[in-house]
Amino acid sequence: LNTADYRYYALGSYKDNNFGKVATRLYTQLALSSTSENFSNLGTADSVVLTLAYTGAFAKDTSTKTMNMAIQVYELNEVLDTSKVHAYDNVSVKSTPIFNSTVLIDPNTGITLAGDTAATNPHLRLKLSDAFMNRLASSSFEDNDAFINEFKGVKIVCNTVHDAGMAYVDVTSSISGIIYYYHTQSGYSGKYQINFPESNKFLHIDYDYSSSRYLRNMRNRHGRARTSSADSVLNDNYMFVSCLGQSIVKIHIDSLLQWYNQDTIKNSAFNKAELILPVADINDGNTKNYPSSLLCYRQDSTLVLIRDEIVSYATYYTGTYSSADNSYHLQITSHLQNYLKGKYSTPDIYIVPNNRRQTASRVVL
């Protein structure tokens, strides 16, 4: 899964019986909000606070409003390069965290700071170490490259207590970044914003299927057992669809061409072909945690959206969950017609959850 340079991410750790455990950590470069800066001339440093704007949260119990997370923030030991784009990539970090504490995550309540008259939108606030603050306070940078050479970026690790949920964050929000607070001898209080840039950041994701009732005996195509990502599952009754790169589903529509080539059929055209995927009874039942929609791809040189989805996503293809029959409905008419006309070599389709980098939604079909 390519996770580089997206705006929205899911931070935390989550475990259930169907999918096992998934845990994320964010690596991001930092950037000055000015062309140059001499922090030693600003005034006396008061604190340095890392902030992340919330966009929501994910928990097994959808009535959960807050959750505790053990959070660590580390400085990067190397400059991020553009090759770091995948969920399996890592970056070396300094051994001592610049933040390490358990924090209450509350994505629903605004924050009112001292001296402000109105609440700021809900966001995470982490007061970084005095050692980090003092290094920044004594520094001067002629440009952003000089700043990056000294402060290469940060790694943010969030582990939900009991692996119970995820916090959804907007990394490029004007609220998100690192704020340097200072005061002058005249009594002026100011702040300087260090940004998370739009590029040079990615989400690392760890998977552990050993706690999954259904996926821990997965086999790869060579038949050997695996405890990480795999090519197939032993139980073909279920299709596991999950965000954060945990799984996608490949459906092979067997014998369709043989059926179509019958004399009584082959001069016909489809009026409608609908793929109906019922939700399995092994789900936790919280429809709010199901993916908002399922995307449908076909194999070309890469995976590409099927034509039905491209030309008629909202009005015809849909791909959304229907509570009326507890199923997802996907229109695949054009895709199958193109296959039967010989335009595609295979009718295979790949089911992928929407918003798969920024949410932890999952469903078993």
Side-chain angles (χ1 to χ4, degrees), residues 228-273:
S228 59
S229 58
D231 300 315
S232 61
V233 293
L234 292 180
N235 191 332
D236 289 333
N237 293 328
Y238 298 127
M239 294 177 286
F240 294 83
V241 180
S242 179
C243 293
L244 297 175
Q246 278 189 291
S247 61
I248 63 174
V249 168
K250 176 185 176 182
I251 297 178
H252 176 63
I253 306 173
D254 197 21
S255 304
L256 182 67
L257 190 58
Q258 180 181 352
W259 167 82
Y260 183 74
N261 283 333
Q262 297 176 71
D263 290 339
T264 56
I265 303 294
K266 63 184 179 182
N267 292 321
S268 304
F270 287 132
N271 177 55
K272 178 181 179 182

Side-chain angles (χ1 to χ4, degrees), residues 90-135:
N90 280 295
V91 182
S92 66
V93 299
K94 297 181 179 180
S95 57
T96 303
I98 56 177
F99 181 88
N100 184 15
S101 186
T102 298
V103 176
L104 181 68
I105 302 298
D106 184 357
N108 301 300
T109 305
I111 296 176
T112 302
L113 302 175
D116 289 348
T117 57
T120 305
N121 288 339
H123 64 280
L124 175 67
R125 297 182 65 84
L126 308 175
K127 184 177 180 293
L128 303 183
S129 69
D130 289 344
F132 180 85
M133 177 186 71
N134 293 333
R135 276 182 54 223

Side-chain angles (χ1 to χ4, degrees), residues 1-5 81-87 89 201-203:
L1 186 68
N2 185 320
T3 63
D5 304 337
D81 60 67
T82 54
S83 68
K84 305 288 188 179
V85 299
H86 293 109
D89 282 326
K201 59 180 180 293
F202 71 95
L203 193 71

Side-chain angles (χ1 to χ4, degrees), residues 9-11 53-59 107 166-170 289 358-361:
Y9 287 117
L11 287 177
Y54 294 125
T55 60
F58 179 91
M166 296 269 181
Y168 296 159
V169 297
D170 180 353
N289 286 346
Q358 57 258 44
T359 74
S361 302

